[in-house]
Amino acid sequence: MPFPNVRLSNRPLHFIYLCDCSGSMAAQGKMQALNQAIRQSLPGMAEVARQNPEARVLVRAVSFADRANWHLAEPTPVDQLEWRDLQAGGITAMGEALELVAGQMQSPPMEERALPPVLVLISDGQPTDDFSAGLGALMCQPWAQKAVRLAIAMGHDADLEVLQQFIGPDPLANLPAGEVPGASGQMPRGMGKSPRRPLQASNATALAQYIQWASTAVVGAASMPTSRIAGSSRDGNIPLPDLPPTLMDPTDDVGPLVW
Amino acid sequence: MTGALTGSWDTPQCCTVIGAAHRRLGKPCQDASVACSLLGPGGTTVQLMAVADGHGGERYWLSDVGSQLACDQAVLAVERALQQHPLTDQRHWLELLAGALPATIQAAWLEAAAGHWRQRPESGDQPFSPLTYGCTLGVVLLAPEWWGHTGLGDWDLVRRTADGNLDLISEEQDICASGEATASLCMGGAASLCAQRAALHPLTPGSAPFALVLSTDGVRKSCTTDGDFLALGHHLAELRQRDELDTALAQITSQGSGDDVSVAIGRWGALANPPPLPVPPQRRPVALLILLGIGAAALGTGLWWLQPWQRWITAPKPAASPATSLSAEVQRLCASPDRIPSALSQRQAQFDQLLQGQRQRQTLIQQATLDPLGAVIAASWPVPATASPAITPALVELNACPALLSALDQQWKQRRAAAAKMPAAGNASIQPPSAP
C-alpha cells in the first residue's frame, strides 16, 4: 500500500541569539570578539546539525541598543548562514529585545512540532529599559517556557541578576551532592558551576568557548528525541551537557581578565 | 443494552520500530508495544493493546526495560482484573480504568523494575530509583460490549470511523508547558494521573465500524501538523500486515522525528471482513461454521463497506501462523538480550504449570499468535536432563541465541528448585496470558 500524502518532517530547532550592542560593547574589543566568536562557531554548529538530521537547526539574532531589532530575522539554516557583524552604539534595551522574541514564541509562527528553542542572551551591562516587562511578556509565551535559556555575561559589569532571571531559577541550587545532571554525571566544583547560571566571560577566548558550547553541545542535546518527567525542574527543559572541562566553574575563567 | 451487536473486534496488531536517531547512535529502542487476547469471565475474549515509551535521557538510562515491563504488567494486571470483575458492569470498569487498574499496574511495574535493578551490577552501590526506568504507558481494552482506555504520558489515540472521519480521542494535555516533559509511571502519584486519560465507550447495536490507532509520541511528532497526524492514522488503520506496518513506521521515523515509534491498532465491526484470527488445526470445523455465519451476516451490513474500507473486503490478509509468531518472538527476544531475564521472570507461573503438567506444551505452542512468549517457554520444554544449558530440538530449530538459552535454562532450574520446596498447588498467583 503506498504511503499517503502526509507531510513528515524533521523538527525545527530555533536558536536565537540576543546580543547586547550598547556603546560599552565597543570598548576593549568586545563587539569584535562577539562577532568573531559567533562566526567561528558556525562550522561546528553546522556539523552538529548535520549529525542530527532529525532536527532542523534554524538561527536568528536580535540586537539591542537604543532599540531592539532583528539582526537576522529569517530563521536561517545554519549551513546557509553568513554572519553580518553587529555594530555597537547606544543604550541597553534588553527588555524590548525580550518582547521582540516573545512575539515569535507562540504558535504560529512557531511550528507545532518544534523542539524546545534555544535562546542565548549575551550582555555586558545592565538593561536601561523595563526588563521586567520584557521578561514578563516573554515568559507568557508557551514556547519561551519550553525554551532552553542561556546567558553569557561579557565582563564583570554585566548584571548577573537580570541574566539569572532570564535563565530562571537554577534547579541545581538545592540539590544534594552527586545529583547534578550533565553528560558526566559528576558534581562540578565550587559555586556557580551550573550552565543554568550566567556564564561569565572575561576575555575573547572564554567567550568563544561559551558560544561554541552553546551552539554545538547544547544544540546537540536539544536535538535528541528524549523526554523527561513532568514537574521535575532538576534537568530544566532539557538535560544540559556539561560545560567544557576548563570552564566547569564559570567563575574560573580562561585566560587573562580583560573585560 | 437492547438488541445484539452487529460487530466484533478484530485481532489487534502492534508494531514498534527503533528511532532513526537511536539506530544511528547505537542506542536501544525505548518503545514497547503489545497486542493480545485475554480470556474474560465465561470464556469471553477481551483484546488488549498497549504502547509504552521510555524517556531515553541519561537520567532514564534503563527506560527501554521500563517500557517493556510496563506492557508486561499491563497485560498481567488486566488479566487478573478480568477474573474478578464482570465485563457487563461498565460503570465499574470505568472506575477500574480510572483508578484501581493503573494503580495495580504502577505498583507491579515498580516491583518488576526493582527486581530488574537487583540483577544489575550497579545495584551493589546504587539504590534503586524508579526514574531510571521512567516511561509512559497507554492501554486500550477492547471488550465485547465496550472499549476503554487509560494510562499516562504523551501517547495518542485516534479513532477512524467507517466513513473516514478521524477523531483524536485522547492526548496528553499540556500540563507543564515545559520542554519535552510528560507524565510518567515513575512519578509519585502516577496512577492518579491516569484518571484524566481514562474513558469507557459503550458499543451499541447501532455502532458503526471503526478502527483505533494507539501511538507513541514519536509518530505524532514526525508529522508536520495534527492534520497530517490524523491522515497518517487513517493510513495506518488500513495496514494489516506486519511488514507493512514495519515499513511505514521506519519511514515515519526516518523522515520525521527520529524518535522510536510504536502503534497498536484495533478494529471493530469487521463482520463483513472476517477477522484473520489464528485457528488451531483442531478447531477448523468450528471456525468454518463461524465464517459461514459471518458471511451471512455480512449481507445485511450495508453498502458502506464498499466505500473507504473496501480494500479490507477485497484483500483480506492472512494472519501470522503460530510458527511465524514463535520464530518472531525468538528474534525479538534475542534482539534485546538484556530484557530476556525480566521477561521470563514474569512468566514463572507458566514454567510451573508446564513442570506440573497443568499446561500442555503443544497447546501453548499452537497459541503462539496470542502468547508468543508462552510458546517460546513451551518450546524449551521438556528440558533435557544432560545438556547444559538445556537445549530442546525446537529451540535449535528456532535458532535461539545463547542469551535466550541461558535465561531459559536458569528459569527452569529455579522453578524446579522452587517446586521441590513448595506444594504443587501454590503457584497460581500470576496467571500467564490465556487463549480463548
Side-chain angles (χ1 to χ4, degrees):
Chain A
M1 186 174 294
F3 204 81
N5 184 22
V6 170
R7 288 171 299 166
L8 299 174
S9 61
N10 53 10
R11 302 176 67 189
L13 170 55
H14 291 278
F15 186 102
I16 302 179
Y17 283 117
L18 295 90
C19 301
D20 187 341
C21 293
S22 59
S24 58
M25 287 287 287
Q28 299 165 303
K30 281 187 277 190
M31 194 79 259
Q32 185 182 0
L34 178 56
N35 283 317
Q36 184 76 351
I38 292 177
R39 186 175 289 110
Q40 287 182 344
S41 73
L42 294 178
M45 194 180 198
E47 177 60 17
V48 170
R50 193 190 63 76
Q51 291 170 359
N52 294 276
E54 295 81 18
R56 190 166 70 255
V57 181
L58 301 167
V59 182
R60 277 178 281 182
V62 168
S63 63
F64 55 94
D66 289 339
R67 300 299 306 267
N69 294 292
W70 283 104
H71 178 67
L72 179 58
E74 277 299 308
T76 306
V78 62
D79 57 351
Q80 299 172 20
L81 181 57
E82 292 183 15
W83 185 252
R84 287 184 298 111
D85 278 356
L86 296 158
Q87 305 297 325
I91 51 177
T92 311
M94 190 186 293
E96 189 180 340
L98 300 184
E99 285 189 39
L100 201 59
V101 173
Q104 299 296 308
M105 292 289 108
Q106 52 191 312
S107 295
M110 283 290 286
E111 302 85 346
E112 293 174 17
R113 303 286 181 265
L115 287 158
V118 179
L119 310 180
V120 183
L121 175 60
I122 305 161
S123 174
D124 75 332
Q126 301 183 2
T128 52
D129 62 352
D130 191 346
F131 171 81
S132 295
L135 184 62
L138 179 69
M139 295 311 293
C140 282
Q141 302 302 330
W143 281 102
Q145 295 169 32
K146 295 177 182 181
V148 179
R149 299 182 302 278
L150 306 171
I152 299 174
M154 293 183 66
H156 289 79
D157 291 333
D159 189 334
L160 297 180
E161 190 173 326
V162 299
L163 295 182
Q164 186 70 64
Q165 287 178 43
F166 169 76
I167 296 169
D170 181 4
L172 308 185
N174 298 317
L175 274 183
E179 295 240 343
V180 176
S184 72
Q186 300 297 310
M187 185 72 174
R189 294 170 287 112
M191 291 297 292
K193 45 283 203 217
S194 165
R196 300 190 191 283
R197 294 171 64 89
L199 308 173
Q200 199 147 28
S202 297
N203 55 51
T205 305
L207 176 67
Q209 284 195 276
Y210 286 137
I211 296 278
Q212 187 75 22
W213 172 79
S215 60
T216 55
V218 174
V219 166
S223 301
M224 286 305 300
T226 60
S227 56
R228 67 173 187 83
I229 62 171
S232 166
S233 60
R234 202 190 74 165
D235 285 343
N237 287 342
I238 65 161
L240 279 179
D242 286 341
L243 291 165
T246 54
L247 300 176
M248 288 297 286
D249 185 342
T251 59
D252 286 348
D253 217 334
V254 172
L257 186 67
V258 177
W259 300 329
Chain B
M1 177 176 298
T2 58
L5 289 172
T6 53
S8 62
W9 290 105
D10 205 345
T11 303
Q13 299 166 275
C14 69
C15 186
T16 292
V17 168
I18 186 172
H22 291 156
R23 191 172 57 244
R24 189 177 62 252
L25 298 170
K27 293 189 172 182
C29 177
Q30 284 132 10
D31 271 14
S33 58
V34 66
C36 62
S37 300
L38 303 173
L39 199 59
T44 314
T45 300
V46 177
Q47 318 277 5
L48 177 148
M49 51 188 199
V51 296
D53 178 3
H55 302 324
E58 70 173 65
R59 197 178 176 197
Y60 317 96
W61 59 282
L62 288 174
S63 62
D64 57 324
V65 179
S67 61
Q68 186 61 57
L69 291 176
C71 287
D72 293 345
Q73 296 307 324
V75 172
L76 291 169
V78 170
E79 192 169 48
R80 276 193 292 264
L82 286 172
Q83 304 309 318
Q84 298 166 8
H85 308 286
L87 286 165
T88 49
D89 191 346
Q90 296 186 8
R91 185 173 169 183
H92 184 59
W93 269 93
L94 174 57
E95 291 170 0
L96 286 176
L97 290 168
L101 188 62
T104 302
I105 294 172
Q106 192 205 12
W109 177 83
L110 284 169
E111 191 176 336
H116 182 272
W117 180 255
R118 284 193 292 272
Q119 296 175 15
R120 301 278 314 181
E122 298 87 347
S123 63
D125 55 358
Q126 294 176 39
F128 166 68
S129 168
L131 289 173
T132 312
Y133 293 82
C135 66
T136 67
L137 175 66
V139 179
V140 178
L141 290 186
L142 313 173
E145 296 183 349
W146 54 267
W147 60 278
H149 50 84
T150 189
L152 78 176
D154 49 10
W155 50 271
D156 299 291
L157 180 62
V158 171
R159 175 173 56 189
R160 181 196 136 164
T161 58
D163 57 6
N165 283 333
L166 293 146
D167 301 314
L168 189 51
I169 298 291
S170 185
E171 64 177 327
E172 184 170 46
Q173 299 302 308
D174 199 1
I175 56 174
C176 48
S178 181
E180 301 287 276
T182 181
S184 169
L185 271 182
C186 69
M187 296 166 67
S192 62
L193 294 173
C194 295
Q196 302 163 19
R197 307 293 300 275
L200 186 143
H201 308 262
L203 294 164
T204 63
S207 296
F210 61 92
L212 297 171
V213 180
L214 175 67
S215 58
T216 51
D217 69 321
V219 177
R220 189 171 179 182
K221 287 174 178 168
S222 293
C223 301
T224 306
T225 65
D226 282 349
D228 292 298
F229 171 63
L230 292 174
L232 188 58
H234 186 284
H235 174 68
L236 293 171
E238 291 194 348
L239 302 180
R240 284 180 168 267
Q241 292 282 44
R242 173 61 186 252
D243 59 345
E244 290 177 326
L245 272 177
D246 273 333
T247 303
L249 292 187
Q251 183 170 350
I252 290 166
T253 184
S254 63
Q255 295 180 10
S257 65
D259 200 359
D260 304 325
V261 283
S262 294
V263 294
I265 301 167
R267 303 177 182 88
W268 187 83
L271 279 180
N273 178 32
L277 286 168
V279 182
Q282 68 272 25
R283 293 186 183 177
R284 275 182 184 151
V286 178
L288 186 59
L289 290 174
I290 293 171
L291 291 177
L292 287 171
I294 288 170
L299 295 174
T301 53
L303 289 174
W304 56 264
W305 275 108
L306 299 176
Q307 300 303 317
W309 286 14
Q310 60 182 345
R311 273 168 287 194
W312 289 22
I313 306 170
T314 56
K317 303 287 173 47
S321 68
T324 308
S325 298
L326 182 55
S327 176
E329 181 67 1
V330 168
Q331 289 177 24
R332 188 186 73 81
L333 290 165
C334 290
S336 305
D338 60 330
R339 292 181 179 174
I340 294 174
S342 63
L344 293 181
S345 68
Q346 305 302 316
R347 301 298 186 95
Q348 292 178 359
Q350 273 177 326
F351 285 95
D352 292 340
Q353 288 163 353
L354 282 163
L355 267 174
Q356 293 159 15
Q358 296 170 356
R359 284 256 182 174
Q360 295 303 309
R361 172 184 185 274
Q362 198 55 33
T363 305
L364 277 173
I365 290 177
Q366 284 173 355
Q367 293 172 347
T369 52
L370 299 175
D371 179 15
L373 182 54
V376 172
I377 293 168
S380 70
W381 173 259
V383 184
T386 52
S388 183
I391 305 174
T392 62
L395 288 176
V396 173
E397 199 171 314
L398 287 163
N399 200 22
C401 59
L404 178 57
L405 295 173
S406 171
L408 283 165
D409 187 45
Q410 190 176 1
Q411 280 295 329
W412 283 120
K413 285 174 179 166
Q414 287 177 359
R415 299 325 300 161
R416 275 189 169 135
K421 293 177 186 173
M422 296 176 65
N427 58 8
S429 60
I430 298 177
Q431 293 292 325
S434 305

